[in-house]
Structures are given as C-alpha cells and as structure tokens.
Amino acid sequence: MTELDAPTDTTLRVLLVEDSEDDALLLLRELRRGGYEPACERVSTPEEMERALADAGEEPWEVVLSDYYMPRFRAPEALALLRRLGYDTPFIVVSGKIGEDAAVAMMRAGAQDYVTKDNMARLCPAIERELREAAVRQERVRAEEALNRNREAQRLLAEAGAVLSSSLDYRATLESLTRLAVPRLADWCAVDM
C-alpha cells in the first residue's frame, strides 16, 4: 500500500487481545500510520474479551487483533471464544515468531491472517482485505435471508391460491385462508363480513 492509497483517518473499531501495553501501542501506531484512527479496547483474559464483545452493542468491533502467547489467554482460545459467541469479526494474529505449524493451525481454525510483529507493514493491508471480505460475507448472508423470505412468500402465495380455489363456500375459504396466514403473518386475524 502506498501513502496515497492509505485511508485518511478512517475510524476503526479494534479489539486488541494483548497483554503487553508496549505491543498494544506499537499496533496502534501502525494503524495510525496506515491512515486509521483506532477506537480500541485492550483485553488479556477470556472474561475481559467476553465483556468487551457484549458491551460493544450497536457499534460492534470491526476487527480483532490478537497476540498468540499470553499468560492466561492465547490466540486459539480467543478465536474460539469469538466464534462460539457467534461473531464473524475478522480475527488477525499479530505476534512474534510462533512457528509455521501454529500459524497454519490458526488459519485452519478460522483466523483470517497472521502478521509478525517484525513485519508490521502487512497489518493495514491485511485489515483492509479482511474488512472487504467481511462486507462480502455480510452481504451474502443478507442476500440468503432475502432469498429465504422470498421463497417463504412464494410458498404462502401458492398455498393461498390452492385454498382460494378449493371451495366455492366463501366462509370455509376465508376460514382456511385465515388459518393459513395467522401463524406466518400475524398473531390473530379478524374477518368482518
């Protein structure tokens, strides 16, 4: 990424899973160098992370940056906690040398990337890529939900058509139509004739 390509003071909500204040400051400096204005919280235990995720509320964390080794909490546990709680937030391991096997294991477990602390220039491009990928995943979920709603509406219309053509007795037809619609569209229905 060149200086011209860098975002200009884009606010980025970052959850830092990091026990070292110095390393956290290093990460924040790199984010600012990449054009981000980080709004972050640093956690180093499972309890703190769970609380930070719950407290985020209407403004969820956009990315989780996690050190691999910490005394009480390691990146694999942080990633597992994030996914167990139902978050699809991009998870990037930012650590010293952990070894290829550990990095591969993290990627297989669902981490989006691994950046070494001695090659921090990769951090902002990795974040940008993962934010784009997360947006694509969210759009796919919204599209699938819309498709499912449309399919359900089509089913309801087909069933309603069958009910409407099943009898010439309008009272029986309206009663059947009401039974069909109430559990799907409303809690109750009144027909005034």
Side-chain angles (χ1 to χ4, degrees):
M1 176 172 74
T2 66
E3 197 68 35
L4 296 175
D5 296 333
T8 55
D9 293 332
T10 302
T11 300
L12 180 68
R13 293 190 39 80
V14 181
L15 182 59
L16 293 176
V17 183
E18 174 65 68
D19 62 333
S20 167
E21 187 173 342
D22 291 339
D23 286 347
L25 292 173
L26 177 71
L27 288 168
L28 295 176
R29 187 184 73 192
E30 186 61 32
L31 292 173
R32 287 188 185 102
R33 228 175 54 133
Y36 290 107
E37 185 52 48
C40 73
E41 182 172 344
R42 182 169 65 94
V43 298
S44 60
T45 67
E47 298 82 15
E48 290 173 348
M49 183 176 177
E50 194 165 348
R51 181 196 44 75
L53 289 166
D55 290 350
E58 295 295 315
E59 294 185 58
W61 300 106
E62 295 173 274
V63 66
V64 176
L65 303 178
S66 178
D67 191 0
Y68 189 83
Y69 293 111
M70 291 176 287
R72 285 196 53 215
F73 198 35
R74 295 172 14 135
E77 290 89 18
L79 177 59
L81 175 63
L82 184 71
R83 299 302 184 237
R84 183 174 48 82
L85 294 175
Y87 293 93
D88 187 33
T89 308
F91 188 95
I92 300 174
V93 178
V94 183
S95 195
K97 302 272 189 233
I98 63 169
E100 188 176 319
D101 291 341
V104 168
M106 284 302 302
M107 300 297 278
R108 283 189 177 144
Q112 276 70 30
D113 209 339
Y114 169 75
V115 176
T116 60
K117 288 182 179 175
D118 61 353
N119 189 9
M120 294 290 280
R122 285 192 56 238
L123 181 60
C124 288
I127 289 172
E128 290 169 27
R129 181 186 66 247
E130 293 313 322
L131 291 176
R132 283 191 304 271
E133 290 294 320
V136 167
R137 286 191 305 270
Q138 290 170 354
E139 185 57 37
R140 187 178 308 124
V141 166
R142 282 191 291 271
E144 288 173 2
E145 289 171 350
L147 182 61
N148 289 337
R149 282 191 305 274
N150 286 339
R151 284 181 181 149
E152 182 59 29
Q154 293 285 332
R155 265 192 296 278
L156 178 62
L157 288 174
E159 290 176 29
V163 166
L164 288 170
S165 64
S166 68
S167 172
L168 293 176
D169 178 7
Y170 74 92
R171 290 182 191 271
T173 301
L174 286 176
E175 188 177 311
S176 296
L177 199 55
T178 302
R179 272 194 299 266
L180 177 67
V182 167
R184 293 181 179 168
L185 300 176
D187 293 332
W188 65 277
C189 177
V191 178
D192 183 23
M193 297 188 299

